[in-house]
């Protein structure tokens, strides 16, 4: 159906969006590649071409390695725990008689709250003197402890990162489960398949395409983690909880080394493209129709 | 849900126990913060779990001016910035979506690839050149320095979502309008916009929440304290207020409460908006 026959109008209507996306996404994308070949500091007017030096530095940089490893660990934990917990909760809510609406509302709370607020909330919960965790421990007669140390920092930021988006995947799974037709469950019941067996052998295979979408969203989402880590630990102590986003921020704005930060930016872009291609392939399989 | 009526079994008790436990993790931290925000700091230290001995608004009142940082001003800045972003994204995204939905031509295919590709670019990787452009344009330090990059970042998602919505609208009204001699803009504003209101509301809410909650871009593009959105001020709160826990708790409540109220009243739209990109059909 062609309502807009005049191409001139079509282009005029597209123009504002194209210009904005062009100037603030595509141009910076190419500029980042360009800057990554320069020694450039303090946003000065002078850049020196250094070829691949920034990339060589990146390979040798302990913090980059740590950030990459942390991002990968985060990815695995997010898939297993975030998507896993969401699926279990959705299966349970789908099988109860009442309270559906209440749990859906409450589980989604953290999704709408900003990562900054969640970060600060956990920062306060982990605090030594007045923190929620130590308050609970002392209420039961235990000893206060220091929660964020070099050994524990990654775990302490992983908990809120995972917790925040459980509600998001929970809602998606709930929608998928509501579309599974009842007669499949009824014939399963006649065959005596109930409870966990029903979930594993019938429900999960039926919604597998949705689970795959959630896994790929979770993978791509890990690259965007910033706020929570920035507020709780800032990537520290000693880079123990560094992720790519926090490290790029540190190099570019605390270290004032824009050339090197651009190279890290390129690394993030390339990893992002590779991972979203892989996860697109994962989710490309045909969706099940009933 | 199970269609058959049964008795409340042992299994059900376990199920509700698990669900309530998870609900506690999402509700209790908020209540804990809310509770302590009404106490003075020494009382928080003394008894972080107890109800306040008297309802004190001291923490809230000191947020008005403390260390050159007014969190209420930050809230107003957020409304200005996120409000503008919502309007611009809906307007420009709506225009582009209308072309994609109704204009069958090679161009629309290319435009779709252009937007899909833009969605893959992580914000982290492009901030440095963006900052350079904003400085060249002389926008540094103004609200526009954040409004424009955020709008650009949200346009691809909004355009593709709105295009999907507009494609489902019946085309007859527009055909009748064309016969009556109406121009494209007139058709857009008098026919498409009113019909698209559910799609526009869903998109607007997602865009608003995303913009209001965004820390990374806000941190970098607005260096001026008086114009910074609330998220940035919240992230600075622990360094500015030191060990003033009461102030931090109050700042948290001021930031989070408006969003939670918005969510509770517009639940269906919020969930639809936040999950729009995830599940199609």
């Amino acid at each position: 159906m062609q309502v807009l026959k005049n191409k001139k109008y079509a282009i005029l209507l597209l123009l504002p969006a194209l210009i904005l996306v062009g100037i603030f996404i595509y141009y910076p994308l190419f500029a980042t590649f360009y800057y990554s070949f320069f020694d450039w500091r303090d946003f000065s007017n002078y850049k020196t071409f250094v070829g691949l030096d920034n990339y060589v530095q990146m390979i040798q940089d302990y913090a980059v390695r740590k950030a990459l490893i942390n991002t990968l660990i985060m990815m695995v934990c997010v898939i297993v725990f975030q998507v896993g917990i969401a699926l279990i909760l959705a299966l349970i809510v789908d099988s109860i008689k009442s309270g559906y609406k209440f749990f859906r509302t409450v589980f989604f709370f953290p999704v709408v709250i900003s990562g900054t607020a969640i970060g600060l909330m956990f920062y306060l919960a982990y605090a030594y003197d007045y923190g929620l965790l130590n308050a609970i421990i002392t209420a039961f007669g235990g000893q206060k402890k220091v929660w964020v140390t070099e050994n524990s920092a990654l775990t302490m930021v992983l908990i809120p990162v995972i917790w925040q988006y459980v509600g998001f995947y929970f809602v998606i799974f709930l929608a998928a489960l509501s579309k599974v037709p009842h007669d499949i469950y009824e014939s399963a019941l006649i065959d005596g398949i109930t409870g966990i067996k029903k979930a594993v052998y019938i429900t999960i295979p039926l919604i597998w395409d949705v689970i795959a979408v959630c896994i790929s969203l979770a993978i791509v989402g890990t690259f965007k983690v910033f706020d929570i880590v920035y507020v709780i630990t800032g990537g520290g102590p000693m880079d123990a909880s560094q992720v790519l986003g926090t490290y790029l921020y540190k190099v570019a704005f605390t270290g004032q080394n824009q050339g090197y930060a651009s190279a890290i930016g390129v690394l993030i872009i390339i990893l992002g493209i590779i991972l979203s291609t892989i996860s697109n392939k994962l989710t490309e399989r045909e969706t099940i129709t009933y | 849900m199970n269609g058959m009526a049964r008795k409340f079994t042992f299994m059900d008790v376990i199920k509700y126990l698990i669900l309530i436990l998870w609900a506690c993790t999402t509700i209790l931290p908020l209540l804990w913060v809310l509770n302590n925000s009404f106490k003075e700091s020494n009382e928080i230290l003394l008894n972080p779990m107890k109800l306040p001995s008297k309802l004190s608004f001291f923490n809230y009142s000191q947020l008005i001016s403390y260390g050159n940082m007014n969190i209420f001003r930050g809230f107003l800045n957020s409304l200005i910035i996120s409000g503008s972003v919502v309007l611009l994204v809906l307007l420009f995204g709506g225009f582009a979506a209308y072309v994609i939905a109704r204009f069958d031509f090679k161009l629309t295919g290319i435009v779709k690839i252009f937007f899909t590709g833009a969605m893959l670019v992580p914000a982290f990787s492009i901030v440095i050149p963006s900052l350079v452009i904003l400085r060249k344009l002389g926008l540094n330090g103004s609200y526009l320095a954040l409004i424009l990059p955020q709008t650009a970042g949200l346009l691809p998602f909004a355009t593709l979502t709105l295009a999907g919505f507009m494609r489902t609208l019946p085309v007859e009204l527009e055909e009748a309008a064309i016969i009556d001699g109406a121009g494209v803009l007139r058709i857009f504003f008098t026919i498409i916009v009113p019909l698209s209101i559910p799609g526009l509301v869903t998109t607007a809410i997602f865009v608003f929440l995303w913009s209001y909650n965004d820390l990374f871009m806000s941190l970098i593009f607005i260096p001026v304290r008086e114009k910074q959105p609330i998220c940035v001020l919240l992230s600075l709160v622990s360094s500015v207020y030191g060990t003033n826990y009461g102030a931090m708790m109050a700042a948290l409540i001021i930031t989070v409460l408006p969003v939670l109220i918005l969510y509770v009243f517009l639940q269906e739209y919020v969930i639809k908006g936040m999950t729009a990109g995830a599940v199609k059909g």
Side-chain angles (χ1 to χ4, degrees):
Chain A
M1 214 38 97
Q2 263 183 263
V3 174
L4 285 171
K5 289 220 173 66
N6 193 331
K7 273 181 227 164
K8 203 174 70 194
Y9 282 123
I11 290 169
L12 273 177
L13 289 180
L14 282 172
L15 221 49
L18 293 186
I19 290 175
L20 274 171
V21 173
I23 293 181
F24 288 104
I25 293 180
Y26 280 99
Y27 169 74
L29 181 66
F30 291 107
T32 298
F33 274 93
Y34 176 75
Y35 293 154
S36 74
F37 299 113
F38 288 86
D39 181 42
W40 178 28
R41 286 157 205 268
D42 300 309
F43 282 100
S44 79
N45 291 325
Y46 304 99
K47 304 181 188 73
T48 324
F49 183 79
V50 292
L52 292 172
D53 277 10
N54 286 326
Y55 291 94
V56 174
Q57 188 188 344
M58 202 160 72
I59 293 166
Q60 295 161 344
D61 189 342
Y62 168 78
V64 168
R65 220 172 308 149
K66 191 75 191 164
L68 257 180
I69 293 168
N70 284 347
T71 305
L72 290 178
I73 293 173
M74 200 174 267
M75 217 171 262
V76 174
C77 290
V78 159
I79 293 170
V80 174
F81 295 107
Q82 199 173 62
V83 180
I85 293 171
L87 183 61
I88 292 168
L89 292 174
L91 285 168
I92 296 177
V93 169
D94 193 56
S95 73
I96 59 172
K97 276 167 271 179
S98 57
Y100 175 96
K101 184 99 198 259
F102 170 78
F103 290 117
R104 202 188 66 160
T105 306
V106 169
F107 290 178
F108 207 73
F109 274 173
V111 183
V112 294
I113 300 173
S114 64
T116 318
I118 286 176
L120 188 63
M121 223 160 71
F122 277 76
Y123 173 88
L124 291 168
Y126 295 154
Y128 184 79
D129 282 333
Y130 54 93
L132 182 63
L133 292 185
N134 278 347
I136 294 172
I137 284 181
T138 45
F140 286 99
Q143 280 288 316
K144 282 183 183 180
K145 67 178 267 192
V146 178
W147 291 92
V148 183
T149 63
E150 203 181 328
N151 285 325
S152 70
L154 184 63
T155 316
M156 297 326 263
V157 298
L158 262 173
I159 292 168
V161 164
I162 290 169
W163 172 79
Q164 184 184 16
Y165 272 93
V166 165
F168 177 82
Y169 298 109
F170 165 80
V171 164
I172 295 175
F173 288 140
L174 214 53
L177 289 174
S178 71
K179 283 181 195 143
V180 176
H182 276 229
D183 44 348
I184 292 179
Y185 287 149
E186 271 153 30
S187 56
L189 190 69
I190 293 165
D191 293 336
I193 303 166
T194 54
I196 293 170
K197 255 188 169 171
K198 184 180 87 176
V200 174
Y201 293 110
I202 299 171
T203 316
I204 291 176
L206 280 174
I207 60 161
W208 182 251
D209 54 321
V210 179
I211 297 173
V213 169
C214 288
I215 291 175
S216 68
L217 281 174
I219 290 173
V220 178
T222 328
F223 274 97
K224 296 180 187 148
V225 172
F226 175 81
D227 319 17
I228 291 180
V229 179
Y230 178 80
V231 175
I232 300 180
T233 66
M238 301 294 290
D239 296 317
S241 59
Q242 206 67 269
V243 290
L244 290 166
T246 49
Y247 190 55
L248 186 146
Y249 180 83
K250 188 179 158 191
V251 170
F253 299 100
T254 313
Q256 290 295 343
N257 189 342
Q258 285 79 38
Y260 186 41
S262 296
I264 298 170
V266 171
L267 175 75
I268 298 178
I269 295 167
I270 291 172
L271 281 175
I273 291 172
I274 292 172
L275 281 170
S276 48
T277 316
I278 293 173
S279 46
N280 273 341
K281 283 273 183 301
L282 271 175
T283 53
E284 241 170 29
R285 46 167 278 175
E286 269 177 57
T287 44
I288 297 167
T289 45
Y290 307 109
Chain B
M1 252 159 277
N2 210 315
M4 265 161 277
R6 328 169 260 149
K7 275 191 183 154
F8 211 74
T9 62
F10 177 67
M11 253 330 260
D12 290 329
V13 177
I14 304 231
K15 283 176 181 172
Y16 277 102
L17 225 61
I18 295 172
L19 294 177
I20 289 166
L21 211 68
W22 190 263
C24 284
T25 73
T26 64
I27 298 171
L28 287 184
L30 286 170
L31 288 181
W32 174 68
V33 174
L34 183 71
N35 179 32
N36 282 321
S37 74
F38 294 117
K39 295 181 195 169
E40 286 173 26
S41 278
N42 54 344
E43 206 191 340
I44 300 177
L45 279 169
L46 225 56
N47 261 320
M49 307 287 279
K50 292 231 170 78
L51 286 171
S53 56
K54 64 171 171 51
L55 215 58
S56 158
F57 287 92
F58 172 73
N59 294 322
Y60 291 92
S61 66
Q62 67 172 320
L63 287 176
I64 292 170
S65 65
Y66 192 99
N68 181 27
M69 179 160 135
N70 179 343
I71 215 116
F72 298 96
R73 174 76 215 182
F75 183 64
L76 186 70
N77 291 339
S78 275
L79 290 185
I80 293 170
I81 292 163
S82 302
S84 314
V85 171
V86 169
L87 286 178
L88 287 178
V89 168
L90 288 190
L91 185 68
F92 297 155
F95 282 164
Y98 184 47
V99 176
I100 292 174
R102 286 291 190 259
F103 194 82
D104 250 343
F105 181 60
K106 251 188 276 168
L107 187 76
T108 52
I110 299 167
V111 170
K112 259 200 233 165
I113 295 171
F114 184 81
F115 284 137
T116 317
M119 280 206 283
L120 293 177
V121 181
F124 302 123
S125 48
I126 56 172
V127 286
I128 294 169
S130 304
L131 195 58
V132 173
I133 297 169
L134 290 167
R135 286 182 184 176
K136 275 189 187 144
L137 293 173
L139 294 171
N140 212 27
S142 71
Y143 289 128
L144 271 179
L146 183 56
I147 293 170
L148 293 180
Q150 280 196 348
T151 304
L154 288 161
L155 268 172
F157 163 84
T159 305
L160 296 177
T161 310
L162 287 173
F165 187 87
M166 288 178 186
R167 204 169 291 124
T168 64
L169 300 176
V171 83
E172 287 77 16
L173 279 173
E174 292 155 70
E175 284 170 341
I178 286 174
I179 294 165
D180 290 343
V184 175
L185 277 182
R186 179 129 181 240
I187 295 175
F188 181 81
F189 284 110
T190 58
I191 298 172
I192 298 299
V193 169
L195 287 176
S196 304
I197 282 178
L200 289 169
V201 172
T202 296
T203 313
I205 287 178
F206 171 80
V207 170
F208 181 82
L209 283 178
W210 188 93
S211 163
Y212 182 89
N213 287 341
D214 169 54
L215 174 66
F216 190 75
M217 286 198 201
S218 318
L219 209 53
I220 291 162
F221 295 140
I222 302 213
V224 191
R225 189 59 52 88
E226 297 74 47
K227 287 186 178 161
Q228 272 168 342
I230 196 161
C231 238
V232 177
L233 300 184
L234 192 68
S235 77
L236 297 172
V237 116
S238 61
S239 55
V240 173
Y241 287 84
T243 50
N244 188 344
Y245 320 124
M248 291 191 222
M249 307 252 185
L252 249 171
I253 293 300
I254 292 170
T255 316
V256 166
L257 212 60
V259 169
L260 275 186
I261 292 171
L262 184 82
Y263 166 63
V264 169
F265 282 105
L266 298 170
Q267 246 188 84
E268 297 301 323
Y269 286 110
V270 175
I271 289 178
K272 243 189 247 161
M274 302 285 287
T275 54
V279 263
K280 290 159 205 121

